[in-house]
Amino acid sequence: MRRKYIIAICIMLLGTHAVLAQTVHRSFRIHYIINIAEIDSAFKDNTESIAELKAYLKRIQNDTTIQVKNIRFRGTASPDGGYEFNQWLCVNRLRTFKELVRSYIDIPDSIIIANVSDIPWDGFRDKVAESDIEHRDEVLKIIDEGQRIVPWFNNRHIDARLLKLKSMYKGKVWETLKSPILEDLRFGAAVFETYYKLPPPPRSLFPLVPETPPFPSLQVELPEYELWMPRLYLKTNTIGLALLSANFAVEADVARHWSVTLPVYYCAIDWFKSTIKFRNFTVQPEVRYWFRHSDNDGFFVGAHLEMAYYNFAFDGAYRYQDYRGRTPALGGGLSVGYRKPISKNKRWRMEFTLGAGIYPLDYSTFHNTPDVRDGMWISRHKKTYVGLDQTAVTFAYSFDMKKYRKVTQKKGGRK
């Protein structure tokens, strides 16, 4: 009888051990803004997701009975867009999500058993199949054709299915896919597999066995990708507008850290009375060097040239005009500035610029009268101006110029 009790107790203990040693899976996911690989905590439900992830990792770190068996990371990009850029987004969304996790807890590479970066066409198909969008069956038929990468413009490539989907019914079907179907496919994710680490059982019931590594180590190396995505900026200077000078500028990124910009100013009106005017036609091309590595934002220094025709009067006794209207100020100088994104999608930017230069001047002075024709010529002057030639608070809207460069890490150096 005693033997039966002992056997029953052993079975109960073994059963308890099996329950406690069961693995538990917990997954987390955050979403990304289209074409962006950095995490925006305010986007969709990312604030709550990040808070849950942080609390979970803190619990793992503080609870010595929980053992992390393995972690599977994943980064994705929705199917829309060029193939090369989508691949870059997948890899870098995986990277930024992994960096977020590692900012809360130290993770050895030995427990990372998957680094998956993919464009989830299967998930796209599932979401379309579950939806009630118009022409759903036609969309599914195109998705089921399978991947076929074809040449696109600018030496890039695209999935042929995407071209078909975007052209269906003049783009109306594609508009129904954008939200929320495609939005939900841009994410970084991690699945944690954990188990409870039990104290050693009594010797009388459980004989000790030699310790062996219970879980294989699998480390998947990701290639290193770098992106240079030059942008085109359309800009206007609000200080110029305040001076009633219409102005417009175009800036283009030409390399990492380097851009060129061409602002044009024009004013042909008086300031509320004919004896006050700041008429000008100014062109000021500039080359800029940006200190930030990843994007041409942040602080910069620039070197510029300038050509300016001018006709100034400040309600005083004299009016000043470049000699015979054919001797513009010609010179150049240096500038410093700072630019930052001001919208969530980083399309809108604000820029502050201050510059100084040197300009030989050849101008005439006239009597400043309400009727310019009565303002008689007084004298001609030649002198050199040294001082401020740029003061700008600029708003810019940027466009991606869609030119990418991929760099992979190879043994022995970069390729």
Side-chain angles (χ1 to χ4, degrees):
M1 197 69 174
R2 179 182 295 178
R3 182 178 298 176
K4 290 182 179 179
Y5 287 129
I6 294 175
I7 293 173
I9 293 172
C10 289
I11 292 173
M12 290 174 61
L13 289 173
L14 286 170
T16 304
H17 180 270
V19 171
L20 291 176
Q22 275 188 336
T23 57
V24 178
H25 295 83
R26 181 72 185 274
S27 61
F28 296 90
R29 175 180 295 194
I30 60 171
H31 291 90
Y32 288 82
I33 298 173
I34 185 171
N35 293 338
I36 301 297
E38 302 302 319
I39 296 172
D40 187 339
S41 60
F43 183 62
K44 292 177 74 73
D45 58 352
N46 284 352
T47 299
E48 295 79 5
S49 299
I50 292 174
E52 290 178 8
L53 173 63
K54 184 177 180 181
Y56 177 76
L57 295 177
K58 185 176 181 181
R59 178 188 167 201
I60 289 177
Q61 196 171 35
N62 295 335
D63 192 338
T64 57
T65 66
I66 299 177
Q67 183 75 27
V68 179
K69 182 178 179 180
N70 58 61
I71 309 174
R72 294 174 173 82
F73 285 101
R74 186 182 181 192
T76 72
S78 56
D80 49 331
Y83 181 75
E84 290 88 352
F85 183 51
N86 280 342
Q87 292 291 336
W88 181 89
L89 280 174
C90 294
V91 172
N92 282 276
R93 285 171 177 171
L94 186 149
R95 173 184 59 81
T96 55
F97 184 78
K98 188 187 292 185
E99 288 174 354
L100 174 68
V101 173
R102 280 182 158 156
S103 69
Y104 298 129
I105 188 172
D106 184 28
I107 299 175
D109 290 336
S110 59
I111 66 172
I112 299 175
I113 65 169
N115 288 306
V116 177
S117 55
D118 67 329
I119 302 169
W121 278 91
D122 290 341
F124 183 28
R125 190 195 189 286
D126 293 340
K127 288 185 176 294
V128 171
E130 295 168 359
S131 70
D132 57 355
I133 64 168
E134 193 175 2
H135 309 295
R136 180 183 62 184
D137 293 339
E138 295 177 59
V139 173
L140 292 175
K141 184 177 179 181
I142 292 175
I143 294 175
D144 291 339
E145 290 178 1
Q147 177 177 280
R148 185 166 62 91
I149 305 301
V150 297
W152 203 23
F153 64 90
N154 250 0
N155 296 321
R156 292 179 292 137
H157 299 83
I158 196 169
D159 196 310
R161 294 174 293 179
L162 182 61
L163 297 177
K164 290 184 178 181
L165 291 172
K166 285 191 171 183
S167 63
M168 285 182 65
Y169 299 94
K170 298 181 179 180
K172 293 180 180 179
V173 174
W174 183 253
E175 290 299 318
T176 65
L177 297 172
K178 284 185 178 180
S179 177
I181 292 177
L182 291 175
E183 283 185 358
D184 290 339
L185 300 177
R186 307 170 190 131
F187 61 84
V191 178
F192 294 80
E193 187 174 353
T194 60
Y195 68 97
Y196 287 95
K197 186 178 180 182
L198 297 176
R203 286 181 177 272
S204 58
L205 295 176
F206 300 97
L208 293 177
V209 295
E211 290 188 4
T212 58
F215 307 110
S217 171
L218 175 60
Q219 181 175 356
V220 181
E221 289 191 3
L222 274 177
E224 177 185 348
Y225 281 73
E226 291 183 353
L227 170 70
W228 173 46
M229 186 196 300
R231 294 183 173 89
L232 182 72
Y233 305 85
L234 304 182
K235 311 190 297 182
T236 188
N237 178 8
T238 56
I239 294 180
L241 296 177
L243 296 175
L244 305 183
S245 183
N247 66 91
F248 181 77
V250 177
E251 183 173 355
D253 297 334
V254 294
R256 284 186 180 275
H257 303 289
W258 293 96
S259 70
V260 293
T261 182
L262 179 64
V264 178
Y265 294 82
Y266 180 70
C267 178
I269 60 175
D270 300 331
W271 282 0
F272 312 112
K273 57 189 300 189
S274 60
T275 55
I276 303 177
K277 62 183 87 257
F278 193 72
R279 298 188 177 191
N280 73 97
F281 174 72
T282 304
V283 180
Q284 193 179 62
E286 182 173 70
V287 176
R288 292 176 169 182
Y289 178 82
W290 300 84
F291 292 97
R292 184 173 170 179
H293 177 71
S294 58
D295 277 309
N296 288 353
D297 280 328
F299 289 99
F300 69 87
V301 293
H304 57 265
L305 301 174
E306 182 174 318
M307 179 190 73
Y309 293 90
Y310 52 92
N311 181 3
F312 300 156
F314 304 102
D315 209 24
Y318 305 106
R319 178 173 64 87
Y320 308 91
Q321 183 176 349
D322 56 274
Y323 184 64
R324 294 184 175 178
R326 298 194 297 269
T327 58
L330 294 174
L334 302 175
S335 64
V336 296
Y338 179 83
R339 183 166 69 200
K340 61 178 291 186
I342 56 174
S343 64
K344 285 186 177 182
N345 62 6
K346 299 188 178 180
R347 295 292 186 189
W348 285 100
R349 287 169 164 80
M350 190 174 187
E351 180 183 306
F352 305 89
T353 312
L354 190 67
I358 181 169
Y359 298 87
L361 302 180
D362 184 358
Y363 65 95
S364 298
T365 56
F366 298 83
H367 289 290
N368 188 23
T369 63
D371 190 340
V372 174
R373 291 172 297 181
D374 295 337
M376 297 182 61
W377 179 83
I378 299 175
S379 59
R380 179 181 181 182
H381 302 270
K382 292 186 178 181
K383 60 175 61 176
T384 299
Y385 169 80
V386 179
L388 291 177
D389 63 351
Q390 276 195 59
T391 306
V393 177
T394 302
F395 288 92
Y397 186 83
S398 64
F399 299 87
D400 297 338
M401 293 170 63
K402 302 294 184 185
K403 182 179 179 182
Y404 309 107
R405 182 169 68 90
K406 181 176 72 176
V407 178
T408 56
Q409 188 73 30
K410 299 289 185 182
K411 290 185 178 179
R414 289 194 174 199
K415 180 180 178 182

